[in-house]
Amino acid sequence: MAFYERDVDTMIDTDTLQARIRELGVEITKDYQGKDLTLVGIMKGSVFFLTDLAKAIDLPLTFELMGVSSYHGGTETTGEVRITHDLTKPLHGKHVLVVEDIIDTGLTMKFLLENLGARHPASVKVCTLLEKPSRAKVKVAIDYKGFVIEDRFVVGYGLDWGEKYRNLPFIGVMKAD
Ligand code: IMP
Ligand code: MG
């Protein structure tokens, strides 16, 4: 029995996940023809998605990582976001695609869009693997999304519960949730 089976149920299995990521890759490949594309992955949650998505895009892209942590007031983000790891290259003139694991309240993405937009990129768009629209507090335009999910706490494929379960190859839901 795998280590997680007692605690986690499958929500989106590996094949479904990978098939959808290939579709997103095809779409992004079409949209960014001839453009200087930089993927900006948000650590740590988006790292698994970022690497699979990058492989599904047939373009000479570059990628960067940015680390952010949100201050939590109780169980929710307060919207105050701190940069824990900044980009190593300027974004001036680049077509930036922000790659996130999940958009929940939207507060983290709102901060990121303001922060990245101030670096004078040619464009900024958003790609998220998951969206929980029932929890949105601010409206953020999502250009590419993998799956819309109900309001459950999910883990796996980068998403964590107390830093654990990121290494599951599928999206799961905590049985206790
Ligand atoms: P937002 O600012 O509320 O949109 O928060 C987004 C961040 O909260 C994500 O990047 C995740 O790190 C975290 N998060 C939100 N929902 C979940 C979940 O169901 N499981 C794991 N992490 C989550
Ligand atoms: Mg995150």
Side-chain angles (χ1 to χ4, degrees), residues 103-142:
I103 296 182
D104 186 29
T105 63
L107 292 167
T108 305
M109 189 53 74
K110 180 174 184 279
F111 168 86
L112 284 168
L113 291 175
E114 285 166 9
N115 185 283
L116 296 170
R119 303 179 196 214
H120 307 292
S123 69
V124 186
K125 285 188 174 185
V126 174
C127 177
T128 187
L129 181 63
L130 306 174
E131 183 197 12
K132 271 188 209 171
S134 57
R135 302 243 316 154
K137 283 195 173 159
V138 287
K139 185 103 194 82
V140 289
I142 303 174

Side-chain angles (χ1 to χ4, degrees), residues 42-43 45 68 70 72 76-77 79 81 100-109 130 132 135 149 151-155 159-161 166:
I42 309 306
M43 294 195 289
V68 293
S70 321
H72 286 260
E76 279 191 12
T77 57
V81 181
E100 241 310 20
D101 51 1
I102 187 165
I103 296 182
D104 186 29
T105 63
L107 292 167
T108 305
M109 189 53 74
L130 306 174
K132 271 188 209 171
R135 302 243 316 154
I149 62 166
D151 184 14
R152 305 284 303 276
F153 192 83
V154 288
V155 295
L159 291 141
D160 72 302
W161 181 76
R166 291 193 198 273

Side-chain angles (χ1 to χ4, degrees), residues 20 49 60 80 84 95 104 113 154 172:
R20 182 70 189 119
F49 177 41
E80 237 183 291
T84 56
H95 290 276
D104 186 29
L113 291 175
V154 288

Side-chain angles (χ1 to χ4, degrees), residues 10 89 96 116:
T10 303
K89 295 275 198 314
V96 171
L116 296 170

Side-chain angles (χ1 to χ4, degrees), residues 7-173:
D7 309 321
V8 180
D9 285 322
T10 303
M11 182 189 261
I12 305 168
D13 66 39
T14 303
D15 288 350
T16 308
L17 209 52
Q18 294 298 331
R20 182 70 189 119
I21 293 167
R22 281 194 296 273
E23 287 176 358
L24 290 173
V26 168
E27 214 183 311
I28 293 165
T29 302
K30 274 197 207 123
D31 295 351
Y32 286 90
Q33 285 297 316
K35 291 185 175 161
D36 192 0
L37 172 62
T38 296
L39 305 179
V40 174
I42 309 306
M43 294 195 289
K44 298 175 214 169
S46 83
V47 165
F48 292 71
F49 177 41
L50 174 73
T51 56
D52 283 338
L53 182 68
K55 287 181 279 182
I57 300 172
D58 184 17
L59 290 173
L61 57 81
T62 62
F63 77 84
E64 289 284 318
L65 293 167
M66 190 161 169
V68 293
S69 80
S70 321
Y71 289 103
H72 286 260
T75 57
E76 279 191 12
T77 57
T78 57
E80 237 183 291
V81 181
R82 191 164 47 102
I83 296 175
T84 56
H85 174 90
D86 207 350
L87 307 178
T88 59
K89 295 275 198 314
L91 295 181
H92 191 271
K94 302 270 186 194
H95 290 276
V96 171
L97 183 59
V98 187
V99 179
E100 241 310 20
D101 51 1
I102 187 165
I103 296 182
D104 186 29
T105 63
L107 292 167
T108 305
M109 189 53 74
K110 180 174 184 279
F111 168 86
L112 284 168
L113 291 175
E114 285 166 9
N115 185 283
L116 296 170
R119 303 179 196 214
H120 307 292
S123 69
V124 186
K125 285 188 174 185
V126 174
C127 177
T128 187
L129 181 63
L130 306 174
E131 183 197 12
K132 271 188 209 171
S134 57
R135 302 243 316 154
K137 283 195 173 159
V138 287
K139 185 103 194 82
V140 289
I142 303 174
D143 302 284
Y144 306 94
K145 76 178 92 164
F147 303 89
V148 175
I149 62 166
E150 55 179 317
D151 184 14
R152 305 284 303 276
F153 192 83
V154 288
V155 295
Y157 199 66
L159 291 141
D160 72 302
W161 181 76
E163 291 298 324
K164 298 260 172 67
Y165 303 108
R166 291 193 198 273
N167 61 323
L168 309 188
F170 60 89
I171 300 290
V173 53

